[in-house]
mmCIF file of all heavy atoms in Angstrom:
data_model
loop_
_atom_site.group_PDB
_atom_site.id
_atom_site.type_symbol
_atom_site.label_atom_id
_atom_site.label_comp_id
_atom_site.label_asym_id
_atom_site.label_seq_id
_atom_site.Cartn_x
_atom_site.Cartn_y
_atom_site.Cartn_z
ATOM 1 N N TRP A 26 135.914 -107.227 -55.667
ATOM 2 C CA TRP A 26 136.044 -108.150 -56.812
ATOM 3 C C TRP A 26 134.681 -108.758 -57.131
ATOM 4 O O TRP A 26 134.252 -108.797 -58.279
ATOM 5 C CB TRP A 26 137.048 -109.245 -56.477
ATOM 6 C CG TRP A 26 137.112 -110.326 -57.502
ATOM 7 C CD1 TRP A 26 136.324 -111.444 -57.570
ATOM 8 C CD2 TRP A 26 137.991 -110.405 -58.624
ATOM 9 N NE1 TRP A 26 136.665 -112.201 -58.659
ATOM 10 C CE2 TRP A 26 137.688 -111.590 -59.316
ATOM 11 C CE3 TRP A 26 139.009 -109.579 -59.088
ATOM 12 C CZ2 TRP A 26 138.376 -111.971 -60.465
ATOM 13 C CZ3 TRP A 26 139.697 -109.971 -60.234
ATOM 14 C CH2 TRP A 26 139.377 -111.150 -60.908
ATOM 15 N N LEU A 27 134.006 -109.260 -56.099
ATOM 16 C CA LEU A 27 132.691 -109.881 -56.279
ATOM 17 C C LEU A 27 131.718 -108.908 -56.916
ATOM 18 O O LEU A 27 131.020 -109.244 -57.879
ATOM 19 C CB LEU A 27 132.160 -110.363 -54.923
ATOM 20 C CG LEU A 27 130.726 -110.864 -54.894
ATOM 21 C CD1 LEU A 27 130.602 -112.148 -55.712
ATOM 22 C CD2 LEU A 27 130.265 -111.087 -53.471
ATOM 23 N N ILE A 28 131.667 -107.698 -56.408
ATOM 24 C CA ILE A 28 130.728 -106.703 -56.938
ATOM 25 C C ILE A 28 131.079 -106.337 -58.378
ATOM 26 O O ILE A 28 130.202 -106.209 -59.228
ATOM 27 C CB ILE A 28 130.684 -105.465 -56.033
ATOM 28 C CG1 ILE A 28 130.036 -105.843 -54.692
ATOM 29 C CG2 ILE A 28 129.940 -104.316 -56.699
ATOM 30 C CD1 ILE A 28 130.165 -104.794 -53.615
ATOM 31 N N ALA A 29 132.354 -106.192 -58.678
ATOM 32 C CA ALA A 29 132.770 -105.836 -60.036
ATOM 33 C C ALA A 29 132.462 -106.947 -61.038
ATOM 34 O O ALA A 29 132.090 -106.667 -62.176
ATOM 35 C CB ALA A 29 134.265 -105.515 -60.066
ATOM 36 N N HIS A 30 132.611 -108.202 -60.611
ATOM 37 C CA HIS A 30 132.453 -109.321 -61.535
ATOM 38 C C HIS A 30 131.061 -109.952 -61.515
ATOM 39 O O HIS A 30 130.688 -110.643 -62.466
ATOM 40 C CB HIS A 30 133.498 -110.388 -61.230
ATOM 41 C CG HIS A 30 134.877 -109.985 -61.604
ATOM 42 N ND1 HIS A 30 135.631 -109.134 -60.825
ATOM 43 C CD2 HIS A 30 135.642 -110.282 -62.679
ATOM 44 C CE1 HIS A 30 136.809 -108.954 -61.402
ATOM 45 N NE2 HIS A 30 136.838 -109.624 -62.525
ATOM 46 N N HIS A 31 130.321 -109.773 -60.443
ATOM 47 C CA HIS A 31 129.025 -110.445 -60.302
ATOM 48 C C HIS A 31 127.975 -109.518 -59.696
ATOM 49 O O HIS A 31 127.208 -109.930 -58.827
ATOM 50 C CB HIS A 31 129.177 -111.692 -59.428
ATOM 51 C CG HIS A 31 130.102 -112.704 -59.999
ATOM 52 N ND1 HIS A 31 129.718 -113.584 -60.991
ATOM 53 C CD2 HIS A 31 131.409 -112.963 -59.747
ATOM 54 C CE1 HIS A 31 130.748 -114.350 -61.310
ATOM 55 N NE2 HIS A 31 131.787 -113.991 -60.572
ATOM 56 N N SER A 32 127.911 -108.285 -60.148
ATOM 57 C CA SER A 32 126.993 -107.307 -59.550
ATOM 58 C C SER A 32 125.538 -107.754 -59.636
ATOM 59 O O SER A 32 124.772 -107.539 -58.697
ATOM 60 C CB SER A 32 127.175 -105.933 -60.185
ATOM 61 O OG SER A 32 126.988 -106.005 -61.584
ATOM 62 N N HIS A 33 125.163 -108.395 -60.730
ATOM 63 C CA HIS A 33 123.783 -108.856 -60.874
ATOM 64 C C HIS A 33 123.435 -109.926 -59.834
ATOM 65 O O HIS A 33 122.343 -109.953 -59.302
ATOM 66 C CB HIS A 33 123.538 -109.381 -62.290
ATOM 67 C CG HIS A 33 124.423 -110.533 -62.655
ATOM 68 N ND1 HIS A 33 125.767 -110.369 -62.933
ATOM 69 C CD2 HIS A 33 124.169 -111.848 -62.742
ATOM 70 C CE1 HIS A 33 126.301 -111.554 -63.201
ATOM 71 N NE2 HIS A 33 125.359 -112.468 -63.088
ATOM 72 N N GLN A 34 124.392 -110.792 -59.514
ATOM 73 C CA GLN A 34 124.143 -111.820 -58.512
ATOM 74 C C GLN A 34 124.104 -111.228 -57.105
ATOM 75 O O GLN A 34 123.318 -111.658 -56.268
ATOM 76 C CB GLN A 34 125.202 -112.913 -58.589
ATOM 77 C CG GLN A 34 125.008 -113.824 -59.788
ATOM 78 C CD GLN A 34 126.094 -114.882 -59.839
ATOM 79 O OE1 GLN A 34 127.183 -114.598 -60.327
ATOM 80 N NE2 GLN A 34 125.789 -116.043 -59.313
ATOM 81 N N ALA A 54 140.462 -112.344 -54.158
ATOM 82 C CA ALA A 54 139.334 -112.351 -55.087
ATOM 83 C C ALA A 54 138.429 -113.515 -54.701
ATOM 84 O O ALA A 54 138.897 -114.506 -54.136
ATOM 85 C CB ALA A 54 139.814 -112.499 -56.527
ATOM 86 N N TRP A 55 137.145 -113.380 -55.001
ATOM 87 C CA TRP A 55 136.205 -114.454 -54.681
ATOM 88 C C TRP A 55 135.036 -114.385 -55.639
ATOM 89 O O TRP A 55 134.469 -113.321 -55.880
ATOM 90 C CB TRP A 55 135.707 -114.316 -53.241
ATOM 91 C CG TRP A 55 134.828 -115.443 -52.799
ATOM 92 C CD1 TRP A 55 135.251 -116.640 -52.311
ATOM 93 C CD2 TRP A 55 133.407 -115.503 -52.815
ATOM 94 N NE1 TRP A 55 134.171 -117.428 -52.018
ATOM 95 C CE2 TRP A 55 133.023 -116.754 -52.315
ATOM 96 C CE3 TRP A 55 132.415 -114.607 -53.202
ATOM 97 C CZ2 TRP A 55 131.700 -117.147 -52.196
ATOM 98 C CZ3 TRP A 55 131.089 -114.994 -53.092
ATOM 99 C CH2 TRP A 55 130.748 -116.239 -52.590
ATOM 100 N N CYS A 56 134.680 -115.521 -56.217
ATOM 101 C CA CYS A 56 133.505 -115.631 -57.068
ATOM 102 C C CYS A 56 132.512 -116.566 -56.391
ATOM 103 O O CYS A 56 132.911 -117.479 -55.669
ATOM 104 C CB CYS A 56 133.882 -116.187 -58.440
ATOM 105 S SG CYS A 56 134.770 -115.006 -59.481
ATOM 106 N N PRO A 57 131.226 -116.363 -56.635
ATOM 107 C CA PRO A 57 130.220 -117.197 -55.992
ATOM 108 C C PRO A 57 130.247 -118.626 -56.537
ATOM 109 O O PRO A 57 130.749 -118.867 -57.634
ATOM 110 C CB PRO A 57 128.909 -116.497 -56.329
ATOM 111 C CG PRO A 57 129.183 -115.670 -57.518
ATOM 112 C CD PRO A 57 130.634 -115.329 -57.469
ATOM 113 N N GLY A 59 129.380 -121.812 -58.465
ATOM 114 C CA GLY A 59 128.780 -121.939 -59.786
ATOM 115 C C GLY A 59 129.445 -121.095 -60.851
ATOM 116 O O GLY A 59 129.167 -121.259 -62.037
ATOM 117 N N CYS A 60 130.332 -120.191 -60.455
ATOM 118 C CA CYS A 60 131.033 -119.369 -61.441
ATOM 119 C C CYS A 60 131.981 -120.268 -62.236
ATOM 120 O O CYS A 60 132.709 -121.073 -61.670
ATOM 121 C CB CYS A 60 131.818 -118.257 -60.763
ATOM 122 S SG CYS A 60 132.746 -117.231 -61.933
ATOM 123 N N THR A 61 131.964 -120.120 -63.525
ATOM 124 C CA THR A 61 132.805 -120.946 -64.390
ATOM 125 C C THR A 61 134.190 -120.346 -64.605
ATOM 126 O O THR A 61 135.013 -120.929 -65.292
ATOM 127 C CB THR A 61 132.128 -121.150 -65.752
ATOM 128 O OG1 THR A 61 131.906 -119.860 -66.342
ATOM 129 C CG2 THR A 61 130.808 -121.883 -65.598
ATOM 130 N N GLY A 62 134.431 -119.172 -64.031
ATOM 131 C CA GLY A 62 135.740 -118.546 -64.165
ATOM 132 C C GLY A 62 135.878 -117.652 -65.381
ATOM 133 O O GLY A 62 136.924 -117.056 -65.599
ATOM 134 N N ASP A 63 134.837 -117.568 -66.174
ATOM 135 C CA ASP A 63 134.898 -116.711 -67.351
ATOM 136 C C ASP A 63 134.095 -115.423 -67.153
ATOM 137 O O ASP A 63 133.649 -114.799 -68.096
ATOM 138 C CB ASP A 63 134.403 -117.452 -68.586
ATOM 139 C CG ASP A 63 132.966 -117.937 -68.451
ATOM 140 O OD1 ASP A 63 132.394 -117.838 -67.343
ATOM 141 O OD2 ASP A 63 132.411 -118.420 -69.456
ATOM 142 N N CYS A 64 133.939 -115.032 -65.885
ATOM 143 C CA CYS A 64 133.179 -113.827 -65.565
ATOM 144 C C CYS A 64 133.926 -112.591 -66.077
ATOM 145 O O CYS A 64 135.134 -112.500 -65.993
ATOM 146 C CB CYS A 64 132.923 -113.732 -64.068
ATOM 147 S SG CYS A 64 134.367 -113.993 -63.031
ATOM 148 N N ILE A 65 133.166 -111.672 -66.624
ATOM 149 C CA ILE A 65 133.736 -110.441 -67.169
ATOM 150 C C ILE A 65 133.248 -109.286 -66.301
ATOM 151 O O ILE A 65 132.043 -109.108 -66.132
ATOM 152 C CB ILE A 65 133.314 -110.235 -68.633
ATOM 153 C CG1 ILE A 65 133.832 -111.403 -69.472
ATOM 154 C CG2 ILE A 65 133.821 -108.897 -69.159
ATOM 155 C CD1 ILE A 65 133.316 -111.424 -70.882
ATOM 156 N N PRO A 66 134.165 -108.511 -65.756
ATOM 157 C CA PRO A 66 133.744 -107.429 -64.867
ATOM 158 C C PRO A 66 133.077 -106.276 -65.607
ATOM 159 O O PRO A 66 133.350 -106.033 -66.776
ATOM 160 C CB PRO A 66 135.051 -106.973 -64.224
ATOM 161 C CG PRO A 66 136.089 -107.296 -65.233
ATOM 162 C CD PRO A 66 135.613 -108.563 -65.911
ATOM 163 N N ASP A 67 132.209 -105.602 -64.907
ATOM 164 C CA ASP A 67 131.635 -104.370 -65.409
ATOM 165 C C ASP A 67 132.786 -103.374 -65.543
ATOM 166 O O ASP A 67 133.560 -103.201 -64.599
ATOM 167 C CB ASP A 67 130.589 -103.861 -64.415
ATOM 168 C CG ASP A 67 130.023 -102.526 -64.814
ATOM 169 O OD1 ASP A 67 130.663 -101.499 -64.471
ATOM 170 O OD2 ASP A 67 128.971 -102.514 -65.456
ATOM 171 N N LYS A 71 135.184 -102.332 -62.493
ATOM 172 C CA LYS A 71 136.562 -102.846 -62.540
ATOM 173 C C LYS A 71 137.550 -101.699 -62.436
ATOM 174 O O LYS A 71 138.569 -101.805 -61.740
ATOM 175 C CB LYS A 71 136.779 -103.622 -63.839
ATOM 176 C CG LYS A 71 138.188 -104.139 -64.031
ATOM 177 C CD LYS A 71 138.504 -105.282 -63.089
ATOM 178 C CE LYS A 71 139.793 -105.966 -63.472
ATOM 179 N NZ LYS A 71 140.891 -105.726 -62.621
#
Side-chain angles (χ1 to χ4, degrees):
W26 172 273
L27 172 67
I28 292 169
H30 289 78
H31 298 280
S32 57
H33 60 286
Q34 286 179 278
W55 185 84
C56 287
C60 178
T61 59
D63 59 352
C64 48
I65 299 171
D67 176 275
K71 177 71 169 107

